[in-house]
Amino acid sequence: MQNQEEQVADGKRAAFEFEPKGEDCSSSILGNSILHSDGVGADLTQQQQHEEELAISSLQQNVPFVGDKEPLSALAAEYQSGSPILIEKIKILSDQYAAIRRTRGDGNCFFRGFMFSYLEHILLTQDRLEVDRVKNNVEDCRKMLQSLGYVEFTFEDFFSLFLEQLDCVIEGNESSISYDELLNRSRDQSVSDYVVMFFRFVTSGEIQKRSEFFEPFILGLTNATVEQFCKSAVEPMGEESDHVQITALSDALGVPIRVVYLDRSSCDTGGISVNHHDFIPATGNPPNAADGSSETFNPFITLLYRPGHYDILYPK
Amino acid sequence: MIDFSRVQKELQECSRDIESSGIRVTPKSDNLGRLTGIIPGPTGTPYEGGTFCIDITLPDGYPFEPPKMQFATKVWHPNISSQSGAICLDILKDQWSPALTLKTALLSVQALLSAPQPDDPQDAVVAQQYIKEYQTFVGTARYWTETFAKVSSLGVEEKVQKLVEMGFPESLVRSTLEAVGGDENLALEKLCSG
């Protein structure tokens, strides 16, 4: 990190001061700058990854927090002249998935994608049991944050706004909303950012609550302590989410999440397949836990991961 | 739009534990968008015994956007501009989170006073001195604390000016100073407690 003032070192002071914008200076009282890693599943050279991230980021400026549902062919069109592996993988995806809904690539895409996907699921299924179940888990999260020493006013507004949205997607309430209104709200910064912060608090609380479990994973990403990781890679807006954050959110709310990986990795055996990983809650009283059914639970939230970014996928 | 109800709660929380934290935050006017933060210099540092005022401006997006903080009191520190008071601290930039508060941010600034990071300087001259001539650095920092951060060394008009700069109305400053016999620290406490 180089500060502008460094360029005039040697004891000679510049005749004027630079504005305190200094994006390039970043003293941390934690004494530990965390290098962010997006290293989920992908085994890429940096150059390749950079190219793919560019391809995504150049499209971000005009993308709303959550876009419209697009047929999967829209994804294929994006890679028309791209890597043959990716084209092949998109072909495979199109057998299983019908549509994609893009999210804005601002570092909050995982949370925004999860938010829309979850509320959309409740709106379409009217699953009141799921709402009750998740509300119980939200209350546990609230208590956890209190016991971790978080001041209530720093998170209470974000919690109430999320609970409010849950009530709105259930029919028959005074506050019930339509599908279009859910989409509008998910594109409204004052709603979307609040819900993102709600998720960030829940994620941070879960990681700290089970710090022994998460510590080895965090050490694999950075040399930060669990608390430092939460303060620097979970709680600030715009910090991207990785395995650790997804696991924690899924566990805390008890909501399974499927992440489908679209990257250039291919099997040694020569065959191309699309990998996915199911995050199945380890705790948090997941759905179906009570009815004793042994069948594998299909996550109702599916996200498409491309290095550095998550969009929403819709199965056929 | 600043979330003023949250700022109110922050001010209440902060005033509840002034005794333990020593951190104060007071609005400069009825508009809660501009405030003054006050932190005591940490013991065992060249800043010990000093009272440091920090100008705080809340951006429209607060608490999603970080508060803008800048030392109003001159201070000699590698991560604080000796000229403008600009602070180089990650939580006031990209590492800010709505989970933080004005109080926790000021505590971080106070922690920065205790633990300078000359490798990531805001003020290159101070940082060079810190690295190459540590004893001189300590001497200068202590001298600056004595000169600028201890209001009791000032004349009456300077005291008035200083307190007015913190955002209190001049007539109130004068009457309060008179009431406490000219001790600015007492006056400040009185002004802060309203």
Side-chain angles (χ1 to χ4, degrees), chain A residues 177-196:
Chain A
I177 57 169
S178 65
Y179 192 92
D180 285 347
E181 178 57 16
L182 172 62
L183 201 51
N184 286 340
R185 286 191 185 183
S186 304
R187 290 172 178 171
D188 177 346
Q189 184 166 15
S190 61
V191 175
S192 187
D193 280 357
Y194 269 58
V195 174
V196 169

Side-chain angles (χ1 to χ4, degrees), chain A residues 20-310:
Chain A
K21 282 178 183 142
E23 254 77 71
D24 47 357
C25 97
S26 60
S27 298
S28 162
I29 48 144
L30 302 172
N32 190 347
S33 290
I34 290 184
L35 295 172
H36 191 79
S37 156
D38 302 320
V40 184
D43 183 16
L44 300 169
T45 67
Q46 280 196 330
Q47 178 63 28
Q48 278 175 329
Q49 183 157 339
H50 184 64
E51 277 170 20
E52 276 164 29
E53 281 175 5
L54 272 187
I56 294 168
S57 73
S58 65
L59 298 164
Q60 291 312 314
Q61 302 307 323
N62 305 319
V63 178
F65 291 141
V66 291
D68 289 324
K69 209 168 177 175
E70 299 172 71
L72 214 64
S73 55
L75 183 63
E78 216 179 289
Y79 289 94
Q80 241 167 13
S81 53
S83 144
I85 297 177
L86 293 179
I87 293 172
E88 188 58 34
K89 284 191 175 183
I90 293 169
K91 219 176 270 172
I92 297 169
L93 278 180
S94 60
D95 291 340
Q96 289 167 277
Y97 297 96
I100 180 174
R101 189 188 294 274
R102 296 174 204 274
T103 65
R104 185 183 293 179
D106 62 356
N108 301 308
C109 53
F110 163 71
F111 293 116
R112 296 200 209 273
F114 179 87
M115 167 198 174
F116 185 81
S117 215
Y118 186 77
L119 293 174
E120 180 188 41
H121 171 81
I122 302 293
L123 184 86
L124 295 176
T125 60
Q126 293 297 308
D127 186 345
R128 285 162 199 264
L129 283 177
E130 169 63 16
V131 171
D132 292 342
R133 193 192 60 77
V134 95
K135 278 185 178 172
N136 281 334
N137 289 341
V138 169
E139 279 319 301
D140 290 345
C141 295
R142 187 198 296 275
K143 286 177 200 142
M144 175 51 53
L145 288 171
Q146 285 165 340
S147 71
L148 285 166
Y150 283 79
V151 187
E152 181 114 21
F153 70 69
T154 59
F155 60 85
E156 62 188 1
D157 292 350
F158 307 123
F159 272 61
S160 7
L161 196 102
F162 176 73
L163 293 172
E164 206 179 289
Q165 303 315 306
L166 271 182
D167 287 335
C168 290
V169 288
I170 288 291
E171 285 164 10
N173 294 333
E174 237 172 75
S175 57
S176 295
I177 57 169
S178 65
Y179 192 92
D180 285 347
E181 178 57 16
L182 172 62
L183 201 51
N184 286 340
R185 286 191 185 183
S186 304
R187 290 172 178 171
D188 177 346
Q189 184 166 15
S190 61
V191 175
S192 187
D193 280 357
Y194 269 58
V195 174
V196 169
M197 257 331 280
F198 163 74
F199 289 142
R200 289 186 178 278
F201 269 110
V202 167
T203 304
S204 181
E206 181 72 14
I207 293 174
Q208 292 175 77
K209 170 179 137 194
R210 291 162 58 221
S211 60
E212 280 178 23
F213 171 79
F214 284 106
E215 194 172 27
F217 298 101
I218 289 169
L219 285 174
L221 294 170
T222 74
N223 56 351
T225 66
V226 170
E227 197 190 344
Q228 285 168 351
F229 178 82
C230 288
K231 297 278 175 253
S232 62
V234 182
E235 291 175 11
M237 289 292 283
E239 287 294 327
E240 291 176 24
S241 295
D242 213 324
H243 254 106
V244 171
Q245 288 92 332
I246 302 175
T247 305
L249 184 66
S250 168
D251 285 353
L253 297 179
V255 176
I257 304 168
R258 171 167 296 177
V259 176
V260 176
Y261 299 100
L262 179 58
D263 54 38
R264 289 171 195 247
S265 64
S266 57
C267 300
D268 292 337
T269 54
I272 289 177
S273 60
V274 180
N275 301 324
H276 72 261
H277 182 79
D278 287 345
F279 293 83
I280 304 293
T283 55
N285 183 25
N288 286 11
D291 64 12
S293 84
S294 57
E295 63 187 299
T296 24
F297 185 80
N298 243 355
F300 53 76
I301 293 178
T302 305
L303 300 175
L304 174 70
Y305 178 82
R306 288 178 278 171
H309 188 64
Y310 299 87

Side-chain angles (χ1 to χ4, degrees), chain A residues 1 3 5 13 17 20-21 25-29 151 153-154 156-158 193-194 197 201 232 235-236 239, chain B residues 9-10 64 79 81-83 86 88-90 93 95-99 101 108 117 120-125:
Chain A
M1 301 270 168
N3 187 281
E5 285 187 10
R13 177 168 294 284
E17 283 280 324
K21 282 178 183 142
C25 97
S26 60
S27 298
S28 162
I29 48 144
V151 187
F153 70 69
T154 59
E156 62 188 1
D157 292 350
F158 307 123
D193 280 357
Y194 269 58
M197 257 331 280
F201 269 110
S232 62
E235 291 175 11
E239 287 294 327
Chain B
K9 289 175 198 159
E10 289 203 32
F64 281 92
N79 307 103
S81 166
S82 56
Q83 303 212 341
C88 170
L89 185 61
D90 57 356
K93 289 162 185 144
Q95 290 285 285
W96 168 259
S97 160
T101 63
S108 295
Q117 302 195 0
D120 198 5
Q122 176 74 33
D123 193 308
V125 177

